Amino acid sequence: MAEGSSGRRRFSDKWGKHELDVLAVLSSAFPQWLTSRQIAQRVKAYADSYGELADQAAKAAFAKQFQRDRAKLAAMGIAIESRQPEYSSKSEGQDFASYRLQLGDEPRVRLRFEQEDLPVLAAANYLARSMSISSRPSQESMEHRASRTTPRVPQTPAPGLGLDSIAPGLGTQTIPDALVKVIDSRRFAATVEVDGEHLNVAYTDSDDLAMFVLEHPGASIISPQEAVDAFHRRLVSAIDISLADTSQSLVGNTVVSPTISRKSEITDHDDSASSHKSNPSFQTGSEVDRRLRLMLFLSAHLGEEFSLAELAERFIGPARTPEEMRRAVAVIHKDINTLTTVSDDGEMAGSQFFDIDWSLLESESIVSATNSLGLERLAGISQQYLSMLTASASYLAHAPLLPDEQRSQAESLYLRLRQHVRPGETPWLSLTGYELEPRSFSVVKQAIDTASLLDMEYTDGAGRTRRKLVAPSKIFVDEGVYYAAVWTDVAKAAPEDMASLVSTDKTINRANGLPRVWQVLRIARIERATLVAPTTILRIPDVPVSELRKWSFDNGTAAVFTTDRAGLPFISTLPGARVEKCADGEKIHLMVSSDSWFVAFCISHARHILAVAPETLRTMIVARARRELSVGQQDDSESSRNIDRDQ
């Protein structure tokens, strides 16, 4: 027992093994429930510090440390469930319930993955875990509904650790930095009904979620209630937006849209990429985490043989030098020793998870484990998590978040995973701002990357289908729509049999001052497109997107809005906007192509938008907000009637 300077007991964990000890004790006892006293007696680290829980100080200290360890295990996918209290103590900080492992009613799913699957599988797992974690109740809301001693343990944890047991090496994969930043910036999740389907939407803040809902007419937020209330507040604020002064100043900054062009890859939405130095590897950091992954892997492969070098590469990572490999092998050897130790009295108070063929280990450095205390029950993934993982793989295959080669691998992974998911059980996922790309996006981007021509059939503004040979130059996103800027003067590079598809107009468009040799069209309107190798290299002028986007706004509306403060981050998402400093905030001038998009934008950020012009757009904003409020009230009334009928 360790004591602090005040004479009170403090927890001592010299070797950092107590989470493993807790798991060993509960696994060996499953399906029985163990009381707090039994756990404290059998886990060596607890027994050394808290003994028989003979006094209130020991009970309170044990309860605090055990719930901390329980939360750590839950965060890694190993849940410990509890039932009614064993005691009814009035002392704060105590939870003397009975406990056991939570394994669920269904057996875990075990699949076999190839080495080439691991990078994409790690990315899909990262997305699936993030969706699960962000769906948990907020810390603040939990504190309002429960005492501060209630453990922060979700009923359905994010089971990432079990996947390591069937996909060894998953923890050593590197996830693209851009993907990590996109996912991590969307810290919350809500369930949104869109066209009768329930989507799990990850979002950055309430403004972000409101924009998503308003861009999908007829959509509504189902849960959580906090998100519903925040959306309601933005609708109320939008009704109070006044009419702005439309005068313009000759000074101001212009916000430029990110693009994909022949000279650049996908630009990151965060210019601070260089400051993001951390390695986005999904590998967990501590020794205990690594040993837990190793433990579950061996539990899933009892009786099989693995060399120490193979285990080192899978659970620590590839070695660059023989010396690194030697050190990694030594670490894994130490982990094996840790997982097979017992307490001094020989009882199960330590982490004796396996029986190891020691002679094989010492003579040939090969690990073969048996007798895992039933821990093989934790190996693999639950059916529920498999559904989320399948949805994540599908989303990554069709959203602009992974490199092209990994997206095709994600599609292959999705097709294999969905065979093991029951029909209708794959959830719909979405990240705000990253909805699925238009059908022809990939072929247009491929033409840009390879400097190819594009034989395309598209629908023009009058609804007619046309066919043309062009050279795609840039892709940009404006008002939530993907646009392609294409160069039509391709006669010199066109194959002879396709010369009739070349159509070039070099006159000047008076509306925007640009030569008509440029054409800007929505990618969603491209019905069919195939790559064509050019006969010669084309020299396409590099025109800024701020100029090219004017092609999309020949019939646009000049809009103005004012904000209550300067430097608001959502202004940076407005390509082509001109920012003018005002007394207290800013006045933003921009051309609006889609009135419905601008209405959604202003309602979403209504807390900071004071006035809008012209009057037609302001009227549309107020009308849309009132309509959404009336729909919400009708839904509430309908819910109340249903509750009354049920009662």
Side-chain angles (χ1 to χ4, degrees):
M1 177 189 315
E3 296 188 3
S5 58
S6 63
R8 298 185 63 182
R9 294 177 176 84
R10 62 178 175 82
F11 185 76
S12 175
D13 177 34
K14 183 178 180 181
W15 302 109
K17 285 177 47 184
H18 52 285
E19 294 99 331
L20 301 178
D21 293 342
V22 170
L23 188 56
V25 167
L26 292 176
S27 181
S28 61
F30 188 86
Q32 298 178 359
W33 296 83
L34 294 182
T35 65
S36 302
R37 186 179 299 275
Q38 289 171 323
I39 294 173
Q41 289 173 336
R42 299 185 187 189
V43 175
K44 182 174 177 57
Y46 296 155
D48 288 346
S49 297
Y50 309 132
E52 297 289 325
L53 301 183
D55 56 58
Q56 290 297 106
K59 292 177 183 178
F62 163 77
K64 182 177 181 180
Q65 183 60 43
F66 176 64
Q67 297 307 338
R68 186 178 301 155
D69 295 340
R70 181 184 175 195
K72 287 181 183 178
L73 290 170
M76 290 180 281
I78 301 176
I80 299 174
E81 58 182 333
S82 62
R83 62 180 182 181
Q84 69 275 7
E86 165 192 350
Y87 306 106
S88 58
S89 173
K90 296 181 180 180
S91 299
E92 217 173 87
Q94 299 184 44
D95 180 14
F96 293 103
S98 299
Y99 304 91
R100 72 174 180 182
L101 291 179
Q102 184 184 69
L103 299 180
D105 299 329
E106 298 181 348
R108 299 258 176 153
V109 180
R110 298 186 188 178
L111 306 174
R112 184 170 294 276
F113 298 98
E114 303 300 330
Q115 189 66 29
E116 57 267 22
D117 294 328
L118 295 186
V120 171
L121 183 63
N125 187 42
Y126 192 88
L127 174 57
R129 281 175 55 89
S130 299
M131 293 295 293
S132 300
I133 292 172
S134 60
S135 298
R136 300 177 187 176
S138 67
Q139 193 84 349
E140 181 180 355
S141 63
M142 290 183 68
E143 290 174 356
H144 284 306
R145 292 194 295 267
S147 71
R148 65 183 181 88
T149 59
T150 302
R152 270 61 168 174
V153 180
Q155 290 300 310
T156 306
L161 198 62
L163 187 59
D164 282 285
S165 65
I166 55 176
L170 187 69
T172 64
Q173 299 302 308
T174 298
I175 301 174
D177 184 70
L179 175 63
V180 171
K181 285 189 287 186
V182 167
I183 294 176
D184 287 355
S185 67
R186 287 151 180 79
R187 300 169 296 159
F188 309 101
T191 301
V192 178
E193 182 176 323
V194 181
D195 297 330
E197 299 283 356
H198 282 193
L199 271 68
N200 297 284
V201 179
Y203 60 97
T204 301
D205 53 31
S206 297
D207 292 1
D208 189 30
L209 180 62
M211 188 70 185
F212 179 89
V213 173
L214 293 168
E215 285 187 309
H216 295 77
S220 60
I221 303 173
I222 304 301
S223 65
Q225 186 61 39
E226 292 87 345
V228 177
D229 296 340
F231 182 59
H232 182 273
R233 289 194 294 271
R234 279 149 184 78
L235 296 175
V236 172
S237 297
I239 295 176
D240 296 329
I241 291 178
S242 61
L243 184 63
D245 178 10
T246 58
S247 62
Q248 297 188 18
S249 171
L250 297 178
V251 296
N253 300 319
T254 300
V255 183
V256 181
S257 172
T259 66
I260 301 171
S261 69
R262 287 177 180 258
K263 296 185 178 181
S264 65
E265 295 298 323
I266 296 180
T267 57
D268 197 21
H269 290 267
D270 184 0
D271 292 334
S272 62
S274 59
S275 64
H276 191 81
K277 300 293 186 182
S278 59
N279 186 343
S281 170
F282 191 57
Q283 182 175 358
T284 49
S286 72
E287 286 187 349
V288 173
D289 297 337
R290 184 184 63 249
R291 289 166 185 167
L292 280 170
R293 301 200 320 269
L294 176 60
M295 173 203 72
L296 288 185
F297 172 72
L298 294 177
S299 298
H301 300 84
L302 295 178
E304 298 184 37
E305 298 180 354
F306 303 94
S307 68
L308 287 174
E310 181 181 3
L311 295 176
E313 183 173 357
R314 288 179 171 181
F315 292 96
I316 297 178
R320 290 172 295 182
T321 65
E323 178 60 22
E324 280 190 4
M325 174 57 72
R326 187 191 64 78
R327 289 198 298 266
V329 166
V331 168
I332 294 297
H333 199 299
K334 181 180 178 181
D335 289 344
I336 296 298
N337 289 334
T338 300
L339 294 173
T340 54
T341 57
V342 295
S343 63
D344 295 337
D345 58 9
E347 295 182 0
M348 182 48 60
S351 307
Q352 188 186 18
F353 293 105
F354 305 105
D355 289 333
I356 296 290
D357 188 333
W358 292 106
S359 60
L360 184 63
L361 177 61
E362 297 303 327
S363 63
E364 301 183 38
S365 297
I366 291 178
V367 177
S368 179
T370 57
N371 183 27
S372 70
L373 295 177
L375 286 173
E376 66 275 3
R377 293 184 297 260
L378 294 171
I381 49 181
S382 67
Q383 189 68 44
Q384 179 185 13
Y385 191 68
L386 179 60
S387 299
M388 182 68 78
L389 191 67
T390 304
S392 298
S394 176
Y395 181 79
L396 292 177
H398 300 95
L401 290 168
L402 291 178
D404 289 342
E405 63 274 10
Q406 289 196 353
R407 291 177 62 176
S408 59
Q409 186 66 28
E411 177 70 15
S412 174
L413 179 63
Y414 162 70
L415 294 175
R416 281 175 284 153
L417 289 176
R418 73 175 185 178
Q419 300 176 21
H420 303 278
V421 178
R422 289 188 286 266
E425 290 196 358
T426 301
W428 292 90
L429 303 183
S430 184
L431 302 180
T432 52
Y434 284 88
E435 294 194 64
L436 303 186
E437 296 164 341
R439 179 177 53 187
S440 298
F441 178 92
S442 296
V443 66
V444 175
K445 183 176 182 299
Q446 187 178 359
I448 292 174
D449 294 340
T450 60
S452 300
L453 303 181
L454 198 67
D455 175 10
M456 67 175 185
E457 288 185 2
Y458 66 99
T459 304
D460 64 13
R464 296 168 297 187
T465 300
R466 297 194 171 195
R467 185 181 178 188
K468 187 180 290 189
L469 187 67
V470 297
S473 176
K474 294 184 179 182
I475 293 175
F476 61 94
V477 180
D478 208 349
E479 300 183 357
V481 176
Y482 286 91
Y483 290 93
V486 301
W487 179 256
T488 62
D489 188 12
V490 297
K492 295 180 180 179
E496 291 185 8
D497 60 343
M498 305 188 76
S500 61
L501 299 178
V502 178
S503 177
T504 305
D505 184 353
K506 296 185 179 181
T507 61
I508 300 298
N509 185 338
R510 293 182 180 180
N512 49 44
L514 294 175
R516 299 181 189 274
V517 70
W518 283 104
Q519 182 178 0
V520 177
L521 70 159
R522 294 188 179 192
I523 296 180
R525 291 181 175 175
I526 300 177
E527 302 295 336
R528 183 194 62 80
T530 55
L531 300 180
V532 176
T535 58
T536 186
I537 298 177
L538 282 173
R539 304 296 181 185
I540 302 177
D542 186 19
V543 178
V545 171
S546 59
E547 296 297 321
L548 286 173
R549 67 188 297 273
K550 293 180 181 179
W551 282 90
S552 306
F553 296 91
D554 290 345
N555 298 314
T557 303
V560 177
F561 66 90
T562 60
T563 61
D564 61 353
R565 68 189 67 171
L568 291 169
F570 64 84
I571 302 301
S572 63
T573 65
L574 297 173
R578 188 167 57 79
V579 181
E580 175 187 346
K581 300 296 182 183
C582 296
D584 298 321
E586 293 175 331
K587 179 184 289 187
I588 292 86
H589 306 265
L590 71 161
M591 290 294 295
V592 176
S593 174
S594 170
D595 292 347
S596 61
W597 172 87
F598 186 69
V599 167
F601 175 85
C602 290
I603 295 177
S604 301
H605 303 288
R607 294 179 304 155
H608 300 295
I609 295 179
L610 301 177
V612 171
E615 176 68 20
T616 52
L617 289 179
R618 177 188 171 277
T619 302
M620 294 172 64
I621 291 168
V622 174
R624 176 73 186 274
R626 286 176 173 164
R627 184 168 67 251
E628 293 289 340
L629 283 171
S630 65
V631 171
Q633 292 170 355
Q634 292 174 4
D635 291 342
D636 292 341
S637 299
E638 182 65 26
S639 299
S640 299
R641 286 194 293 270
N642 291 337
I643 293 174
D644 293 339
R645 285 197 297 268
D646 293 340
Q647 292 177 344

